[in-house]
Amino acid sequence: MREIEALHARYAHALDDDRLEEWPNFFTERGIYRIATAENEARSLPLPVVYCEGRAMLRDRVQSLRHANIYEPQRYRHIVSSVLVEKVDEERVKSIANFLVVRIMENGETMLFATGRYVDRILLKEMLYEERVVICDSRRFDTLLAIPL
């Protein structure tokens, strides 16, 4: 349990400290990252807001953020809580945790950006995400989802 919480904390700190190049390294080579809305998940609708499969795609997303996408400078502050861990098999666990992301704009404006839960499948030996599903409580996003949640 402690190792899972530490993984979640390292992930949040990397994003909050703008160390986006480290983000793909939190996933297995074929790891999946998906952002969905709670409404779509509840209705089993397959269309995600963001979908990345494999480290190569995650790296491409970071490169796009750094060099191609145009978005207003901003940073996040993640708060992760209420971590539940359930054994799937000898090699992996399922983790569910609540999250809250505050967005801080370059001018100092601060706002609640996203809330929801992470539903993760984690490989224990490597302590990496095999799959991270970010389920946002709201279906509305006021801006481009630039930085990973």
Side-chain angles (χ1 to χ4, degrees):
M1 172 74 158
R2 199 174 291 241
E3 295 88 359
I4 304 301
E5 288 180 342
L7 174 64
H8 294 332
R10 287 191 309 273
Y11 177 97
H13 283 275
L15 295 178
D16 292 349
D17 295 341
D18 194 34
R19 298 189 325 262
L20 299 182
E21 288 72 16
E22 295 177 20
W23 178 58
N25 299 328
F26 286 96
F27 294 83
T28 62
E29 195 60 44
R30 295 174 51 164
I32 294 170
Y33 174 79
R34 181 168 62 91
I35 299 177
T37 64
E39 180 180 21
N40 280 5
E41 285 293 301
R43 296 172 61 198
S44 298
L45 296 175
L47 187 62
V49 177
V50 173
Y51 182 85
C52 295
E53 186 172 344
R55 280 189 190 156
M57 192 178 279
L58 296 168
R59 285 186 190 108
D60 284 348
R61 183 159 174 85
V62 172
Q63 287 301 307
S64 292
L65 289 170
R66 293 293 195 207
H67 305 292
N69 294 1
I70 298 171
Y71 60 95
E72 190 174 353
Q74 57 190 275
R75 60 189 172 89
Y76 290 166
R77 181 66 57 210
H78 286 72
I79 299 171
V80 181
S81 69
S82 304
V83 178
L84 296 174
V85 178
E86 151 186 333
K87 186 175 181 177
V88 172
D89 57 36
E90 293 302 316
E91 297 179 2
R92 56 187 57 79
V93 295
K94 176 182 179 179
S95 170
I96 300 173
N98 294 331
F99 73 84
L100 180 145
V101 177
V102 175
R103 184 178 70 179
I104 304 96
M105 303 306 290
E106 191 173 48
N107 67 4
E109 179 184 349
T110 302
M111 67 173 288
L112 178 60
F113 183 65
T115 64
R117 67 188 187 278
Y118 294 123
V119 179
D120 303 311
R121 195 171 57 240
I122 300 167
L123 285 182
L124 293 171
K125 185 176 179 183
E126 296 88 353
M127 201 51 69
L128 297 172
Y129 299 113
E130 187 174 57
E131 181 179 45
R132 170 155 266 206
V133 181
V134 181
I135 303 172
C136 295
D137 292 327
S138 175
R139 66 175 181 239
R140 293 189 55 191
F141 297 96
D142 73 331
T143 189
L144 170 72
L145 255 174
I147 303 168
L149 293 173

